[in-house]
Amino acid sequence: MTDTITLFADARLVDPATDRDGCATVAVQHGRIIEVAFESGFTTDLGTDFEIIDCDGLCLAPGLIDIRVKTGEPGFEPKETLKSASLSAAAGGVTTIVIQPDTDPAVDDPAMVDFIQRRGAALNLVNVFAAGAATRNRDGQRMAEIGLMHEAGALYFTDGDRVIANSRTLQRVMSYAAAFNALIACRPSDPWLSDGGVATSGELATRLGLSGVPAIAERIQLDRDLALVEQTGARFLIDQISTADALDSLARARSKGLEVAASVSINHLCFNEIDIGDYRTFYRLDPPLRPESDRQALIEAVRDGLIDIITSAHAPLPAEDKRRPFAEAAPGAIGLETLLAATLTLHHEDGLPLLDVLRPLTQGPAALLGLDSGVLEPGAPADLVLFDPDAPVVIDAATLKSKSKNSPFDGRRLQGKVIGTWVGGRKVF
Amino acid sequence: MTQIAAVTDQITERLIPFPAPHFLSAGDLTPPAAQALLDVADIFVDLNRLAASQGGKTLDLLAGRTVVNIFFENSTRTSSSFEIAAKRLGADVVTMPVQASSVAKGETLIDTAVTLNAMKPDILVIRHGASGAAALLSQKVGCAVVNAGDGRHEHPTQALLDLLSLRRAFGDVGGLTVAICGDIAHSRVARSNVALLSMMGARVRLIGPPTLVPGDADRWGCEVFHDMREGLQGCDVVMMLRLQLERMEGALVPSTREYFRFWGLDREKLAWARPGAKVMHPGPMNRGVEIDSDVADDLSVSLIQDQVEMGVAARMAVLASLWARGGSVH
């Protein structure tokens, strides 16, 4: 590596971790930030070997961290590979992705964790980490090798979209994981109440003739999970909270002093159930889209910090899985490349300060997963995104880098354009 | 005087009546009674080492008495250890393995007890898969009952033989720090050892994955650790427990290789204990699961062979002492 110093000059630095939003210069050397200077306080001796990137007053923020990314590698490569996912991430200003374990074979042993992380690193694009399965082959019955996967670098443990229905299994998984201080993530969704449902139960689902999932399916399962957290002392992440009811449960748990984190998918912040009105299968999601009142509650929860993390819930699906009648289409949406612009709608339309909008994409996940990125400070890795927060864009799914094009944002007008992405000081987009 | 006669004299001099009518749990002992039993057991150890040419090993302390071993669970070492102990004391021994008994034909434990009682044994030794089985039996029979392991409750003679091995290795057990490692939750050996070692003044630590250490184990007066490095720090003794392989299926432990990585005793982990620390295991061992052969077979650190030898002597002391309480020693 050369000793070249890279200066990001005249940037509007937006760093939730240090709560700073202002004009600054950032100096980077050997892949790490060496100085962040506001106004005229720059002190680094540049010598002769340096380059200047003129940020032109645009926003410079820590690269985004997306903790819920599905790919199809190994097993379903036509959907998405680690490479296409990494390219999408880079184009979206996402510098760290955590791959879900629902591959074939599942990521349920240390060799698979190692495989994902090595393959990801070899691409030399973004930081690729793996989440390990909590149970073997995600069967919800037998515990996976949580300790060995933790040692191999798995950042957290989850059965992904599958719920560990057996409370005793989950209790043991949580209690075992506590020995390693390992993080467990669970989707709150009662498997029986949600069985067969494709939309949130209610007037709209009835009118559309779609099988409903009652909203309480989320709260019921979440309350069970939280009770087990309380008993076992596990570190816990609520994966994709989506209803106001469940947010109440989360708030109660927090007020009791339970340390639980919660994530929300960008889709549930941007869309509501009305979007499924013309049976567009790109809005067929799991959990299903919710009434507007839930969406508003989720935005409020991001605003006041109840929700720690926003994810893209990136779920690539090929056309053959989506070009079907609504109820038969596979659930899920891609979102890596649109994550930043979509999240900025909370700033432009819902009036959240830019810092609060970026926090659950940077500092929130970094703190939960113990990453040293997600902050702009000397010593931190130079994982950066430069973006124009106001530039209008029209999303065209066909031009997205993901191998699958199932973007619910297709045709939407958003504001926010990624100008450049750097990982460890290296420009990847 | 022959050596046998000399030994018999020493024993009658030191033998105390057992402090309870039955030996069901480590709590039936008191510190002085335990010490006295160990003193006698020490003599039995010497006796057991005598060669046939020196006069044989068999005494007549229990001559004409009947000891019945009834084992509802498979056991090789405990049942043979009890059988040899009783025979060395001169008793008539009947060992009933479960397969051959009428239990297989649907007889209840109480029926079996009543039937056995009618045959007037002098001491009953029982192993059963249900916690409390030995206590139940003791209420229904007219002789002394020795618990040779009941479910996940207690295995008091194992604790006594472990204590004997430790006293011989260290001189005194008081002040020692003993780490019991592994599947504490399902272990009767752990429960008896916690009780007896604590009673004798040792500090006991429990180490294992949270799924195998009961959540309230710290209230047993032990320190609980889930990390071997932390837990073994400063320990004089590392007592490993057997991991039943069916624990893998119940989501208690993910795999034997992961278990070995984090809780299996090998040289590296043993080095975290105090220099000169001794290793114990009640057997049978799962080599490569809870213990590395390299450690288990190293006689400079392992007391595992000793434990088996001490088993016979400790059980002789228990049987003799129970009989001394009930009947009279010649």
Side-chain angles (χ1 to χ4, degrees):
Chain A
M1 195 180 280
T2 67
D3 293 335
T4 311
I5 294 174
T6 307
L7 280 188
F8 293 82
D10 189 22
R12 175 184 169 193
L13 183 142
V14 189
D15 181 26
T18 54
D19 236 353
R20 293 190 293 199
D21 180 352
C23 187
T25 298
V26 174
V28 168
Q29 190 182 30
H30 300 146
R32 294 198 171 256
I33 295 169
I34 55 170
E35 187 178 357
V36 177
F38 287 82
E39 306 300 329
S40 56
F42 193 75
T43 57
T44 302
D45 177 10
L46 292 175
T48 53
D49 188 8
F50 63 92
E51 60 169 332
I52 295 181
I53 293 169
D54 183 358
C55 299
D56 206 12
L58 297 177
C59 290
L60 185 68
L64 311 187
I65 299 167
D66 189 349
I67 70 162
R68 195 184 211 279
V69 175
K70 292 189 188 186
T71 76
E73 182 175 345
F76 312 102
E77 284 80 356
K79 288 184 186 175
E80 192 85 290
T81 57
L82 289 170
K83 182 172 183 184
S84 61
S86 298
L87 287 168
S88 303
V94 178
T95 52
T96 296
I97 55 178
V98 184
I99 307 296
Q100 292 292 292
D102 58 345
T103 46
D104 183 22
V107 181
D108 65 356
D109 71 13
M112 281 299 296
V113 171
D114 197 53
F115 171 82
I116 299 287
Q117 298 188 162
R118 272 175 202 269
R119 296 276 285 193
L123 296 168
N124 222 14
L125 288 164
V126 299
N127 304 306
V128 177
F129 291 102
T135 62
R136 272 190 263 169
N137 200 26
R138 304 191 303 130
D139 69 1
Q141 299 298 328
R142 299 160 303 157
M143 196 192 304
E145 293 177 319
I146 290 173
L148 293 175
M149 286 194 281
H150 181 71
E151 269 194 336
L155 289 186
Y156 67 94
F157 299 91
T158 176
D159 277 359
D161 293 330
R162 291 195 195 155
V163 172
I164 300 178
N166 185 328
S167 303
R168 189 166 75 171
T169 304
L170 182 59
Q171 180 205 39
R172 287 174 175 174
V173 164
M174 282 185 177
S175 130
Y176 187 82
F180 301 94
N181 204 24
L183 179 71
I184 300 293
C186 287
R187 271 283 311 280
S189 173
D190 182 290
W192 290 279
L193 281 174
S194 39
D195 186 31
V198 297
T200 302
S201 295
E203 190 268 330
L204 183 79
T206 309
R207 190 150 49 78
L208 293 174
L210 296 172
S211 306
V213 181
I216 50 155
E218 181 165 297
R219 193 192 88 199
I220 288 174
Q221 202 70 7
L222 179 58
D223 283 339
R224 177 202 71 160
D225 293 352
L226 292 173
L228 289 174
V229 170
E230 195 173 347
Q231 193 231 342
T232 59
R235 286 180 63 222
F236 189 66
L237 166 67
I238 304 164
D239 179 28
Q240 299 197 71
I241 200 163
S242 67
T243 60
D245 244 6
L247 287 170
D248 289 344
S249 291
L250 169 61
R252 273 197 301 278
R254 287 266 176 85
S255 70
K256 278 203 278 185
L258 277 194
E259 285 185 31
V260 286
S263 73
V264 63
S265 95
I266 185 61
N267 302 316
H268 290 85
L269 291 171
C270 290
F271 307 117
N272 66 26
E273 62 176 359
I274 305 294
D275 288 301
I276 69 170
D278 350 321
Y279 299 100
R280 283 264 293 163
T281 58
F282 285 2
Y283 298 105
R284 162 102 166 85
L285 304 172
D286 180 24
L289 289 172
R290 304 300 190 183
E292 177 63 10
S293 55
D294 283 325
R295 189 182 80 94
Q296 288 300 334
L298 291 169
I299 292 170
E300 281 316 301
V302 170
R303 187 197 300 272
D304 59 26
L306 192 60
I307 287 176
D308 313 89
I309 291 168
I310 298 174
T311 78
S312 70
H314 186 79
L317 291 164
E320 61 268 28
D321 288 354
K322 280 293 191 185
R323 276 191 206 131
R324 288 165 172 265
F326 191 84
E328 293 171 23
I334 58 167
L336 270 171
E337 206 169 331
T338 49
L339 179 60
L340 180 60
T343 309
L344 286 173
T345 59
L346 299 187
H347 173 59
H348 295 302
E349 292 176 16
D350 302 296
L352 270 66
L354 203 48
L355 280 172
D356 290 349
V357 169
L358 291 179
R359 185 169 284 116
L361 292 170
T362 55
Q363 182 200 14
L368 181 69
L369 301 179
L371 303 174
D372 60 355
S373 54
V375 59
L376 299 183
E377 266 189 332
D383 293 354
L384 305 166
V385 56
L386 182 65
F387 64 96
D388 179 344
D390 301 316
V393 288
V394 180
I395 305 297
D396 176 3
T399 65
L400 297 177
K401 295 194 161 36
S402 177
K403 288 182 90 170
S404 296
K405 308 299 180 190
N406 53 314
S407 170
F409 292 95
D410 187 30
R412 296 260 173 167
R413 287 158 200 283
L414 300 174
Q415 265 180 287
K417 187 173 168 38
V418 175
I419 308 295
T421 307
W422 289 261
V423 174
R426 189 169 28 84
K427 195 162 198 294
V428 294
F429 176 77
Chain B
M1 192 153 70
T2 64
Q3 270 174 300
I4 288 288
V7 167
T8 309
D9 278 356
Q10 280 181 40
I11 287 166
T12 23
E13 199 175 296
R14 302 201 182 185
L15 193 63
I16 54 138
F18 201 79
H22 309 282
F23 193 18
L24 302 177
S25 103
D28 291 329
L29 295 173
T30 58
Q35 293 289 11
L37 282 171
L38 297 188
D39 291 343
V40 173
D42 268 330
I43 303 170
F44 285 132
V45 173
D46 296 335
L47 173 79
N48 288 336
R49 288 176 180 173
L50 285 183
S53 60
Q54 294 169 286
K57 315 177 203 273
T58 306
L59 304 174
D60 57 359
L61 285 171
L62 293 190
R65 304 299 154 197
T66 308
V67 175
V68 175
N69 287 334
I70 177 153
F71 277 66
F72 293 89
E73 275 187 348
N74 285 334
S75 159
T76 313
R77 80 177 61 203
T78 307
S79 77
S80 44
S81 178
F82 268 107
E83 187 169 336
I84 291 170
K87 283 182 171 159
R88 295 246 166 99
L89 293 171
D92 300 320
V93 186
V94 181
T95 295
M96 297 174 51
V98 66
Q99 286 84 352
S101 81
S102 51
V103 174
K105 300 173 193 160
E107 195 175 72
T108 67
L109 178 62
I110 304 268
D111 291 339
T112 311
V114 171
T115 308
L116 287 173
N117 197 40
M119 301 179 197
K120 307 294 176 209
D122 297 295
I123 296 176
L124 261 177
V125 178
I126 177 181
R127 165 168 291 189
H128 196 282
S131 302
L136 178 64
L137 193 75
S138 73
Q139 292 158 16
K140 305 292 172 192
V141 297
C143 65
V145 172
V146 179
N147 180 6
D150 62 329
R152 57 176 75 167
H153 173 228
E154 286 234 28
H155 191 358
T157 58
Q158 177 73 40
L160 193 68
L161 77 87
D162 288 340
L163 191 65
L164 179 61
S165 310
L166 285 175
R167 200 178 77 164
R168 290 172 70 94
F170 289 93
D172 184 14
V173 175
L176 289 182
T177 303
V178 181
I180 305 180
C181 309
D183 185 0
I184 313 287
H186 302 92
S187 173
R188 52 194 175 213
V189 175
R191 281 170 182 71
S192 290
N193 262 308
V194 166
L196 190 58
L197 287 168
S198 307
M199 184 194 291
M200 303 310 287
R203 281 187 300 273
V204 182
R205 296 180 183 176
L206 303 175
I207 313 176
T211 41
L212 296 180
V213 180
D216 44 12
D218 52 340
R219 284 159 61 185
W220 297 356
C222 306
E223 275 187 284
V224 174
F225 298 87
H226 301 306
D227 182 86
M228 285 282 267
R229 181 189 285 264
E230 257 176 70
L232 290 182
Q233 200 88 45
C235 282
D236 303 289
V237 180
V238 188
M239 186 182 287
M240 302 306 298
L241 298 174
R242 177 178 169 81
L243 182 73
Q244 303 289 347
L245 298 182
E246 61 263 28
R247 306 287 174 243
M248 305 299 146
E249 289 312 306
L252 287 164
V253 188
S255 65
T256 51
R257 68 172 180 181
E258 174 154 332
Y259 188 83
F260 183 72
R261 167 70 189 81
F262 295 105
W263 293 282
L265 188 69
D266 55 13
R267 289 276 172 199
E268 189 192 342
K269 296 196 187 77
L270 183 58
W272 298 331
R274 184 166 290 172
K278 296 292 186 189
V279 175
M280 304 178 81
H281 193 299
M285 288 182 276
N286 287 308
R287 291 168 181 269
V289 177
E290 71 262 358
I291 191 162
D292 196 352
S293 289
D294 182 34
V295 172
D297 298 337
D298 178 353
L299 295 179
S300 69
V301 296
S302 169
L303 296 179
I304 298 170
Q305 289 287 328
D306 287 22
Q307 287 175 276
V308 180
E309 184 187 354
M310 295 312 134
V312 174
R315 284 166 182 136
M316 288 171 80
V318 168
L319 294 175
S321 169
L322 274 168
W323 180 246
R325 178 191 174 97
S328 63
V329 180
H330 308 241

